[in-house]
């Protein structure tokens, strides 16, 4: 018998059932998933922010403000581990998500950084609350990771996402928000 899917197991069956259907579809347990949509990407334009986004594989804002970028997402699931590959117009962003068995939190690895999130159901959405971060396996003070807002939600039957990361001395590292529709 295979282990339960990552997000349903971390959120719990009662809270999971209260989420919007597009959120459950995106974060459910199918072996693989492909979705497409659009995202508006913003971030500080100074050199350090651009270099940090490149090291972490984060998307870049468009040179000129305007329409949202095309985005595709593939999720490959094996047990409780998920590999997310996001293709923005400007960059590919890949991360690995898994459960931290000790804390019951979601662990996301992105390049040399690992984040630990507590997943909370808020109404019919999921808030990802950053609890800690590690660089090359070394736990850093929580303040180093600044302010992180991350929400998975739905509107008009469509999956929506909003991520906004602001770091001390850097400002807005990256913010991307938009919508996705599951293919098939």
């Amino acid at each position: 018998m295979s282990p339960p899917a990552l997000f349903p197991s971390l959120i719990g069956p009662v809270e999971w059932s209260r989420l919007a259907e597009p959120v459950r579809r995106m974060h459910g347990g199918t072996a693989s998933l492909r979705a497409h949509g659009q995202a508006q990407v913003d971030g500080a334009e100074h050199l350090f922010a651009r270099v940090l986004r490149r090291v972490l594989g984060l998307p870049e804002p468009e040179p000129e403000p305007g329409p949202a970028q095309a985005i595709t997402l593939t999720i490959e699931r094996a047990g409780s581990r998920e590999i997310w590959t996001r293709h923005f117009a400007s960059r590919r962003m890949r991360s690995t998500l898994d459960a931290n068995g000790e804390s019951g939190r979601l662990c996301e690895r992105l390049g040399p950084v690992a984040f630990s999130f507590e997943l909370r159901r808020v109404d019919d959405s999921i808030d990802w609350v950053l609890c800690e971060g590690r660089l090359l396996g070394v736990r850093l003070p929580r303040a180093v990771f600044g302010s992180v807002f991350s929400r998975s939600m739905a509107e008009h039957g469509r999956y929506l996402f909003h991520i906004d990361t602001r770091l001390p001395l850097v400002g807005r590292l990256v913010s991307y928000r938009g919508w996705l529709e599951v293919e098939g």
Side-chain angles (χ1 to χ4, degrees), residues 6 9 17 22 33 35 37 39 43 45 60 66 101 117 119-120 122 141 147-148 156 163 165 171 178:
L6 179 60
S9 68
S17 69
L33 177 139
E45 288 300 316
E60 284 291 332
F117 294 96
L119 299 179
R120 294 184 185 159
V122 176
S147 159
V148 176
H156 306 297
I163 293 85
T165 303

Side-chain angles (χ1 to χ4, degrees), residues 16-76:
W16 179 257
S17 69
R18 294 180 178 154
L19 293 170
E21 192 276 330
V23 175
R24 289 193 319 266
R25 186 175 350 125
M26 186 67 66
H27 295 292
T30 59
S32 65
L33 177 139
R34 183 171 169 83
H36 67 278
Q38 291 187 335
Q40 183 69 45
V41 181
D42 299 303
E45 288 300 316
H46 54 78
L47 180 62
F48 184 69
R50 291 193 323 259
V51 168
L52 192 52
R53 282 193 296 268
R54 182 165 298 276
V55 167
L56 296 175
L58 298 172
E60 284 291 332
E62 288 293 314
E64 297 292 325
Q69 300 180 28
I71 179 176
T72 59
L73 166 69
T74 58
I75 301 174
E76 298 297 326

Side-chain angles (χ1 to χ4, degrees), residues 64-181:
E64 297 292 325
Q69 300 180 28
I71 179 176
T72 59
L73 166 69
T74 58
I75 301 174
E76 298 297 326
R77 296 180 171 110
S80 68
R81 177 169 283 171
E82 299 184 358
I83 298 173
W84 289 38
T85 305
R86 305 155 190 92
H87 289 273
F88 292 86
S90 61
R91 181 157 300 136
R92 179 184 83 133
M93 177 181 168
R94 185 178 181 140
S95 62
T96 303
L97 288 75
D98 208 343
N100 180 325
E102 296 173 14
S103 68
R105 295 181 180 145
L106 176 74
C107 180
E108 181 173 22
R109 287 176 184 75
L110 185 64
V113 179
F115 301 102
S116 177
F117 294 96
E118 179 183 338
L119 299 179
R120 294 184 185 159
R121 182 192 61 83
V122 176
D123 298 322
D124 60 355
S125 304
I126 301 172
D127 278 1
W128 304 36
V129 180
L130 181 63
C131 298
E132 73 174 37
R134 295 176 181 265
L135 175 64
L136 299 172
V138 177
R139 184 177 180 180
L140 298 177
R142 172 63 188 86
V144 169
F145 294 97
S147 159
V148 176
F149 175 83
S150 183
R151 178 171 286 164
S152 302
M153 62 205 128
E155 185 176 280
H156 306 297
R158 183 181 268 176
Y159 176 82
L160 305 179
F161 55 90
H162 185 180
I163 293 85
D164 191 343
T165 303
R166 298 165 190 250
L167 300 178
L169 306 175
V170 174
R172 178 178 273 161
L173 176 63
V174 70
S175 173
Y176 55 98
R177 61 201 170 283
W179 57 270
L180 287 164
E181 291 181 345

